[in-house]
Amino acid sequence: MTTLEAATDAARDNLSALESEAIHIFREVAGEFDRPVILFSGGKDSTLLLHLAIKAFWPAPVPFPLLHVDTGHNFDEVIEFRDRVVEKYGLRLIVAHVQDWIDDGRLQERPDGTRNPLQTQPLLDSITEHKFDAVFGGGRRDEERARAKERIFSLRNAFGQWEPRRQRPELWNLYNGRHRPGEHVRVFPLSNWTEADVWNYIAREKVELPSIYYAHKRKVYRRDGMWLTEGPWGGPREGEVVQELMVRYRTVGDGSCTGAVESTASTVEEVIAEVQASRLTERGATRADDRLSEAAMEDRKREGYF
């Protein structure tokens, strides 16, 4: 066996092990909790999460609903994809519109126009309203250092807040889902995946994604080292020049703070090669909300963010 063949076999074994772990986690939650829900935005990680959930329970339907906290500043391609996937698999989708919270005064627009930080309250209110006791998220430990502190089963208190000191040990794939009334557990089946793992698995399973994950022409302008696009969130500002470039998105979220990267990668294989050559995570490269401070993500997680 050549070195290349051995490396290929090892990569296949790694993906199979990651898949097996994630499926085990889904089934563990289904047996241990009463009202789980999957956070689903139509992005690559939540789409992979849904793909694994479908495999975990096939041929039975996924036994819990999906929840999307919609900022109103999402990319049209992603919302169209989200709705198409929900219809294809006959899933129940709950949408918490941030605009509803703004309209009734529970939230106020931020001066910078971004709504990403405004997602926390609608998320916590929706969890309380529907009495969800386990919430699946697509967070990975390689995305951002605060997320590297997270356990696969992450306990949240009655206010939805994350307390690092209350995280529990997870030995031999044993997960402790015990929680008091009012508390809930965030569950991260992709904790041990990397961005490269995600793309290699997408290639292996032929998982469909929104088109903006692949290279396309888009009108963009430069701000704080990122290529942003025009939308209902505003922009460009004075002095920001709009250009048409070949770009793609490594991650998708609120359009006001999610940047594109210049790219010609129009296939899964080309994206994999690009990801393997990158020295920055997708959030570090293209998410302005993570640049607010050194502890931006951790501060939001303590408040109840994803």
Side-chain angles (χ1 to χ4, degrees):
M1 179 182 290
T2 67
T3 303
L4 179 58
E5 287 171 335
T8 302
D9 287 344
R12 289 197 196 99
D13 290 345
N14 177 58
L15 288 181
S16 294
L18 290 171
E19 177 191 68
S20 178
E21 178 187 54
I23 287 174
H24 166 70
I25 291 166
F26 271 108
R27 291 171 177 169
E28 184 77 10
V29 169
E32 192 171 343
F33 292 85
D34 295 322
R35 298 178 68 85
V37 67
I38 299 175
L39 297 178
F40 182 71
S41 65
K44 72 178 188 310
D45 293 327
S46 64
T47 298
L48 174 57
L49 206 60
L50 177 58
H51 178 83
L52 290 163
I54 291 169
K55 291 193 80 169
F57 302 105
W58 187 265
V62 176
F64 17 79
L66 311 180
L67 170 63
H68 181 206
V69 181
D70 185 352
T71 65
H73 288 175
N74 293 288
F75 296 97
D76 292 339
E77 298 95 325
V78 178
I79 296 300
E80 183 276 330
F81 173 81
R82 179 202 70 183
D83 294 342
R84 181 155 45 85
V85 168
V86 167
E87 182 178 2
K88 177 180 178 180
Y89 293 104
L91 303 166
R92 178 188 171 209
L93 174 67
I94 300 167
V95 181
H97 295 279
V98 169
Q99 187 65 51
D100 292 341
W101 272 254
I102 294 172
D103 290 344
D104 64 19
R106 286 176 287 176
L107 289 173
Q108 292 184 336
E109 291 276 20
R110 291 166 51 92
D112 60 8
T114 182
R115 289 185 175 180
N116 216 50
L118 302 184
Q119 294 178 86
T120 300
Q121 194 59 51
L123 171 64
L124 296 178
D125 288 350
S126 297
I127 291 171
T128 300
E129 177 186 351
H130 296 280
K131 297 182 173 60
F132 294 130
D133 53 2
V135 182
F136 287 101
R140 305 188 325 268
R141 288 174 182 166
D142 72 324
E143 286 182 273
E144 202 276 341
R145 54 191 154 186
R147 284 186 166 169
K149 298 180 181 180
E150 197 91 69
R151 297 290 193 267
I152 291 175
F153 274 33
S154 177
L155 182 67
R156 302 299 173 106
N157 66 22
F159 300 100
Q161 297 169 328
W162 178 63
E163 298 176 11
R165 288 178 295 180
R166 292 188 66 197
Q167 299 302 295
R168 297 155 173 174
E170 293 178 339
L171 305 174
W172 307 293
N173 291 332
L174 298 175
Y175 306 112
N176 183 352
R178 293 182 181 177
H179 58 284
R180 301 186 183 95
E183 296 179 336
H184 70 276
V185 174
R186 303 281 174 92
V187 183
F188 300 100
L190 305 184
S191 285
N192 292 322
W193 298 58
T194 65
E195 185 183 8
D197 292 329
V198 169
W199 278 104
N200 278 303
Y201 188 81
I202 286 168
R204 190 186 88 172
E205 299 285 304
K206 297 180 172 54
V207 178
E208 184 185 1
L209 293 178
S211 59
I212 64 173
Y213 277 106
Y214 302 101
H216 59 285
K217 284 188 177 181
R218 186 176 288 265
K219 291 181 179 180
V220 292
Y221 55 90
R222 197 75 168 168
R223 179 182 297 170
D224 299 329
M226 295 191 309
W227 291 111
L228 300 180
T229 190
E230 298 176 278
W233 46 85
R237 299 170 183 164
E238 185 177 352
E240 294 175 337
V241 180
V242 176
Q243 307 176 53
E244 187 172 74
L245 299 175
M246 284 291 290
V247 299
R248 74 176 191 87
Y249 286 85
R250 289 179 67 182
T251 182
V252 296
D254 189 280
S256 63
C257 64
T258 303
V261 294
E262 293 185 66
S263 174
T264 58
S266 59
T267 67
V268 175
E269 292 73 22
E270 290 171 345
V271 170
I272 290 171
E274 191 177 86
V275 168
Q276 289 174 336
S278 176
R279 301 186 65 180
L280 282 175
T281 68
E282 68 266 45
R283 291 193 70 93
T286 63
R287 292 297 286 269
D289 50 332
D290 287 343
R291 302 180 182 185
L292 297 175
S293 74
E294 285 292 318
M297 174 64 81
E298 184 158 341
D299 290 343
R300 281 179 289 150
K301 283 168 63 63
R302 288 178 185 273
E303 295 170 359
Y305 186 72
F306 305 152

